Amino acid sequence: MLEQLNAVFFDEANELLDNLEEQLLTLGDNPNDADTISAVFRAMHTIKGSAAMFGFNDISSVTHEIESTMDQVRNGIIPVTPDLIELLLKARDHLRLMLEAGAEVPENIKVASDNLVLEFKVYISKHGGSSAESASVTQKKVQAQLAAANSDKDNNTFRIKFWPSKTIMQNGTRPELLLKELSEFGAATITPFFDELPELSKLDEEACYFSWEIILTTTKTENDIKDVFIFLDAESKFEVEKINFVAGTESKIGEILVNRGNISQENLDAVLNAHKPLGEILVDENVVTTKQVKSALAEQKHLRSLSPTGQPQTAAGVQQTVRISSAKLDELVNLVGELVTFNARLEQQAILTENTSLKNLSEQCERISIMLRDSSMGLRMVPISTLFSRFRRTVHDLAHQLGKNIEMITEGAETELDKTVIEKLNDPLLHLIRNSVDHGVEMPVERAAMSKDPMGHVTLSARHVGAFILITITDDGRGLDKEAVRAKGIQKGLISEKDNLSDNEIYNLIFQPGFSTAKQVTSISGRGVGLDVVKKDIATLGGSVSIETKKGKGTSFILKIPLTLAIIDGMLTTINNTRYIVPLNTIAECMTFQADPKKKNDLILTTTLHGKDLKCINLRKFFKSESDYPAKQEIVSVYDGDRVIGLVVDKILGSNQTVIKPLGKLFNNCTGINGSSILGDGSVALILDVLKLTDLLHIIEKEQE
């Protein structure tokens, strides 16, 4: 159980560090952003408290110094400078290493921790702040100054109820440390309850029989308080409620009990004329319990002691989420795929037996499987911002290392993509971004000499195009040097001096293995590792990469990636008794076709669609199945960006839910095939790679020009 709780701590801490990187980079752009400063402080405070609670004292001591620094930044004692941002980013990376090390931190990391703490102390001292040891004193002085200046920051009073599970201490959590942390937030009145305490003979020394109610007046927010309980086990419970209280007014015990919902106003009015203390009367009448009166009296005492600065506020709602293992999501999608395959078999059996009841059941099962498929696929769809945000730090660090001024811009970050695709896109995108920063964007002096903004820009954008997503990495740098690329291609023997290549063919040489035009070998690029790795990785996803460049203006790398790698809707077709599936989201429309007998063996056919010529690929010719042409064929027209092309097939059989299955290494070089699927009768249908087929048409058209 302790290992599970530690795993929860590591997951939450890593998530906080992921968000922290983005917050620090944002803070670097806006050093006076109070909300971002508070967010950084809150992240450090949460990690510090949680690490201490779970016994990771090395992590707690490092984050304590960082928290102290950010607290003084928050209170305006020390400024946010580029040096502080770099130091905080360094600390964030170091905390990640400490988390990866776990409970047993190596000696070299401990030494690095000591050096990091020293760096923070030097920064604080350099900018007129105080060390962590005297930070609490400084904090009290600042609070006194703010109170004297009639600060706009008001105190809030909260009613906190905490019911720990009986096994909470067995899980490594110490409730008294949580109460201590809450009491450090401000003025706190803590009332313990032990009505569940058993007889001594039945007492379990490892069990917790207590619960607490805390009345807390603090400048902290409701979320700050809830963060104290962030790592509780599932059986423990807590409630946080803001108290509507106006300082200077008398809080009567009856009003408190009514406000808390312990009694009704009618019950209160019925006993107000009695001479006994109200609490005693209510207990005698069995209206409330002794425990409720005790808690209300503690709250009354606390409210009476408040200074005139407390004011009521409205409680905010909290959105709850559940963390699910990615392996479980993958298993769910696989099971849905099996259900889709089973339903196809059921439908096939219903058709063969002409059983109406079985057919109805098959249709109902199909509707359910479609809804389940969409729901499970929706769980795996995540915004691409989760990927884009990682590269902001990369651009920041590389630009700093190279002495360049570069800003990263993101567009379409809300675009959603299958998480398995996103995971496989990290390496190729990282390589392209490093290439843009190192080779693409010029040095500030060079840009100024060309009358360009000294601040370079690298833009990551994403948008949907049918069943694909287009991801573009664009820089406003020097662009590709066509002559340099051509010369390198000749030098490596990839082309000859006599070859008459188009601009795109020359630019595509950079995707050859080992191709690099870098004049110097650096730690960033230019080590002879070309972009062939990118092209290979994108190809494994069923996608493609292309280049658009203009000398002196910049370069764009365009990645075309399928949305998902698991289940798709498809159109089932036949070509000479072999069945092929066309992804449904790529289809524009279907039509009948009768080829000219003289041209039926041509690879490229032309017909008319809505008064315009439609270029078509003869798939019989492409797959070398040229015997016994049917009298009439059909065309499936598919989107190719803003253009439409046709795929000529023998017959269209209808729509089909397609579970994508890999073909294996033997079929890696089968152009035009992207995978396979098992049909209801157990046979295999091949999934057409529409992207590669449309690229083939472009190549043929260029050769004919």
Side-chain angles (χ1 to χ4, degrees):
M1 184 56 132
L2 185 58
E3 291 181 358
Q4 294 177 352
L5 289 174
N6 285 347
V8 172
F9 164 69
F10 288 136
D11 288 343
E12 296 289 348
N14 278 305
E15 185 175 338
L16 287 170
L17 291 180
D18 287 339
N19 295 332
L20 181 63
E21 183 175 86
E22 184 71 17
Q23 291 161 355
L24 290 175
L25 293 172
T26 300
L27 185 60
D29 296 333
N30 302 284
N32 298 318
D33 188 342
D35 290 338
T36 306
I37 292 173
S38 296
V40 174
F41 170 81
R42 182 179 164 194
M44 290 296 100
H45 176 77
T46 302
I47 294 175
K48 181 199 77 170
S50 302
M53 184 173 68
F54 284 92
F56 298 100
N57 296 325
D58 292 320
I59 296 177
S60 181
S61 62
V62 173
T63 50
H64 176 62
E65 191 67 39
I66 304 172
E67 179 196 26
S68 174
T69 304
M70 290 309 302
D71 194 28
Q72 295 182 66
V73 170
R74 187 176 61 162
N75 291 315
I77 300 173
I78 59 178
V80 175
T81 65
D83 289 341
L84 178 60
I85 297 299
E86 293 300 324
L87 186 56
L88 288 168
L89 287 170
K90 179 181 177 181
R92 179 259 180 200
D93 294 340
H94 183 73
L95 288 173
R96 178 82 80 187
L97 288 175
M98 297 183 76
L99 287 171
E100 292 173 354
E104 299 295 331
V105 179
E107 190 61 32
N108 64 319
I109 294 184
K110 289 184 179 181
V111 172
S113 296
D114 294 338
N115 293 335
L116 183 64
V117 169
L118 182 60
E119 287 187 67
F120 274 99
K121 288 182 178 180
V122 170
Y123 182 88
I124 292 173
S125 176
K126 180 180 178 181
H127 292 85
S130 57
S131 65
E133 289 78 4
S134 61
S136 59
V137 177
T138 303
Q139 175 66 14
K140 290 178 181 178
K141 291 181 179 179
V142 172
Q143 288 178 345
Q145 293 171 354
L146 293 175
N150 295 321
S151 171
D152 291 334
K153 194 170 187 179
D154 297 324
N155 283 324
N156 302 313
T157 300
F158 297 91
R159 181 186 298 119
I160 307 162
K161 298 179 181 180
F162 177 31
W163 301 278
S165 66
K166 286 189 177 182
T167 59
I168 188 171
M169 292 186 291
Q170 300 172 21
N171 299 332
T173 304
R174 297 176 59 185
E176 72 275 14
L177 294 181
L178 303 181
L179 298 174
K180 181 181 178 182
E181 186 173 357
L182 286 173
S183 66
E184 292 174 351
F185 280 3
T189 299
I190 302 175
T191 305
F193 299 104
F194 39 85
D195 47 304
E196 294 185 7
L197 192 66
E199 298 176 2
L200 187 60
S201 60
K202 299 180 180 179
L203 186 69
D204 181 357
E205 64 274 11
E206 294 184 353
C208 178
Y209 300 100
F210 290 80
S211 62
W212 290 270
E213 186 167 311
I214 307 99
I215 307 300
L216 175 65
T217 300
T218 177
T219 57
K220 301 289 186 179
T221 66
E222 184 172 341
N223 284 333
D224 290 333
I225 295 172
K226 291 182 177 180
D227 281 345
V228 174
F229 301 99
I230 194 170
F231 295 109
L232 282 183
D233 57 335
E235 289 76 21
S236 298
K237 298 179 182 179
F238 71 94
E239 290 180 1
V240 180
E241 177 186 0
K242 285 186 180 178
I243 299 175
N244 293 323
F245 169 72
V246 179
T249 61
E250 179 67 19
S251 297
K252 298 180 180 179
I253 185 67
E255 294 174 355
I256 292 175
L257 288 169
V258 171
N259 290 335
R260 291 160 62 97
N262 299 138
I263 63 172
S264 66
Q265 186 65 44
E266 290 76 13
N267 294 135
L268 177 63
D269 294 337
V271 295
L272 277 179
N273 295 324
H275 296 288
K276 291 183 179 181
L278 178 61
E280 185 179 340
I281 297 173
L282 292 173
V283 172
D284 291 342
E285 296 290 333
N286 292 323
V287 178
V288 296
T289 64
T290 303
K291 177 180 176 180
Q292 290 172 332
V293 172
K294 179 181 178 182
S295 179
L297 287 170
E299 181 175 329
Q300 182 188 46
K301 181 180 179 181
H302 181 95
L303 295 178
R304 284 176 175 175
S305 66
L306 289 180
S307 62
T309 56
Q311 291 184 2
Q313 292 187 9
T314 304
V318 178
Q319 182 179 1
Q320 295 185 348
T321 58
V322 177
R323 187 182 299 274
I324 301 175
S325 167
S326 60
K328 291 182 178 179
L329 285 179
D330 293 339
E331 182 181 0
L332 174 62
V333 173
N334 289 336
L335 290 174
V336 173
E338 294 299 326
L339 177 62
V340 170
T341 302
F342 169 78
N343 184 67
R345 292 176 57 191
L346 182 64
E347 183 180 10
Q348 185 75 16
Q349 190 64 27
I351 294 173
L352 292 175
T353 59
E354 298 182 354
N355 189 320
T356 304
S357 298
L358 195 59
K359 179 66 174 175
N360 292 336
L361 288 174
S362 171
E363 292 175 353
Q364 184 178 358
C365 182
E366 183 179 12
R367 287 194 299 270
I368 295 173
S369 63
I370 289 175
M371 289 188 291
L372 185 59
R373 178 204 65 182
D374 293 342
S375 178
S376 60
M377 293 304 298
L379 293 175
R380 295 197 352 164
M381 299 296 282
V382 294
I384 202 168
S385 58
T386 58
L387 180 62
F388 281 5
S389 60
R390 303 176 193 174
F391 301 122
R392 190 175 177 188
R393 172 72 182 278
T394 300
V395 173
H396 173 274
D397 289 348
L398 292 180
H400 182 75
Q401 184 176 345
L402 294 169
K404 298 180 179 181
N405 297 323
I406 302 177
E407 178 185 7
M408 194 186 88
I409 302 170
T410 58
E411 299 174 353
E414 70 284 354
T415 305
E416 290 190 335
L417 191 60
D418 192 305
K419 75 168 188 66
T420 55
V421 179
I422 283 184
E423 290 169 357
K424 295 178 181 179
L425 277 176
N426 183 76
D427 289 345
L429 281 180
L430 178 62
H431 196 117
L432 290 173
I433 288 171
R434 292 168 69 93
N435 185 81
S436 295
V437 172
D438 189 23
H439 292 301
V441 180
E442 310 93 335
M443 298 294 290
V445 175
E446 186 180 351
R447 292 178 66 88
M450 299 171 63
S451 300
K452 298 173 73 172
D453 185 354
M455 174 69 75
H457 298 86
V458 174
T459 303
L460 271 70
S461 64
R463 64 186 178 94
H464 286 297
V465 178
F468 297 89
I469 183 173
L470 288 185
I471 301 176
T472 306
I473 304 95
T474 302
D475 65 72
D476 60 351
R478 58 175 62 90
L480 290 179
D481 187 335
K482 184 176 67 173
E483 297 305 322
V485 173
R486 179 182 174 85
K488 190 68 175 181
I490 295 172
Q491 177 186 336
K492 295 185 70 67
L494 299 174
I495 57 175
S496 67
E497 295 185 5
K498 298 180 180 179
D499 289 338
N500 184 19
L501 303 178
S502 65
D503 290 351
N504 283 337
E505 288 173 330
I506 293 175
Y507 294 140
N508 280 324
L509 290 174
I510 69 175
F511 292 113
Q512 294 297 319
F515 193 98
S516 177
T517 58
K519 297 179 181 179
Q520 294 181 346
V521 175
T522 70
S523 61
I524 298 175
S525 58
R527 293 185 176 272
V529 180
L531 296 176
D532 60 302
V533 177
V534 174
K535 190 169 185 178
K536 181 179 179 180
D537 289 345
I538 297 301
T540 60
L541 295 174
S544 67
V545 55
S546 57
I547 304 172
E548 292 180 0
T549 185
K550 190 172 183 180
K551 192 172 182 179
K553 299 294 183 182
T555 302
S556 294
F557 293 94
I558 304 168
L559 312 182
K560 193 173 183 180
I561 310 294
L563 288 176
T564 180
L565 303 177
I567 305 173
I568 62 171
D569 285 320
M571 185 69 74
L572 190 62
T573 66
T574 61
I575 302 172
N576 195 19
N577 296 324
T578 301
R579 282 175 283 191
Y580 297 88
I581 295 173
V582 183
L584 199 61
N585 284 344
T586 65
I587 298 176
E589 59 182 293
C590 303
M591 57 185 291
T592 58
F593 175 71
Q594 187 167 1
D596 185 338
K598 297 179 181 180
K599 297 183 178 181
K600 67 179 182 179
N601 287 321
D602 291 349
L603 179 60
I604 304 301
L605 303 173
T606 304
T607 187
T608 302
L609 178 66
H610 305 308
K612 297 181 179 179
D613 287 342
L614 175 67
K615 295 286 186 178
C616 303
I617 299 176
N618 183 358
L619 293 183
R620 263 186 171 267
K621 177 70 174 179
F622 180 78
F623 291 118
K624 299 180 181 179
S625 300
E626 303 174 28
S627 60
D628 301 327
Y629 273 77
K632 290 186 178 180
Q633 294 176 283
E634 294 182 278
I635 292 177
V636 180
S637 61
V638 296
Y639 291 107
D640 176 32
D642 298 329
R643 183 183 177 189
V644 175
I645 69 167
L647 304 177
V648 180
V649 300
D650 288 356
K651 187 173 180 61
I652 298 173
L653 301 179
S655 61
N656 179 272
Q657 281 193 79
T658 302
V659 180
I660 302 177
K661 300 289 185 181
L663 284 171
K665 296 182 179 179
L666 182 63
F667 301 93
N668 280 350
N669 296 322
C670 290
T671 304
I673 302 298
N674 197 29
S676 63
S677 181
I678 300 174
L679 301 178
D681 58 2
S683 63
V684 174
L686 300 175
I687 301 172
L688 292 179
D689 189 341
V690 174
L691 184 63
K692 294 290 175 56
L693 292 173
T694 56
D695 287 344
L696 173 66
L697 181 60
H698 294 317
I699 293 172
I700 294 174
E701 287 179 335
K702 288 180 180 179
E703 290 176 349
Q704 294 176 347
E705 291 178 356

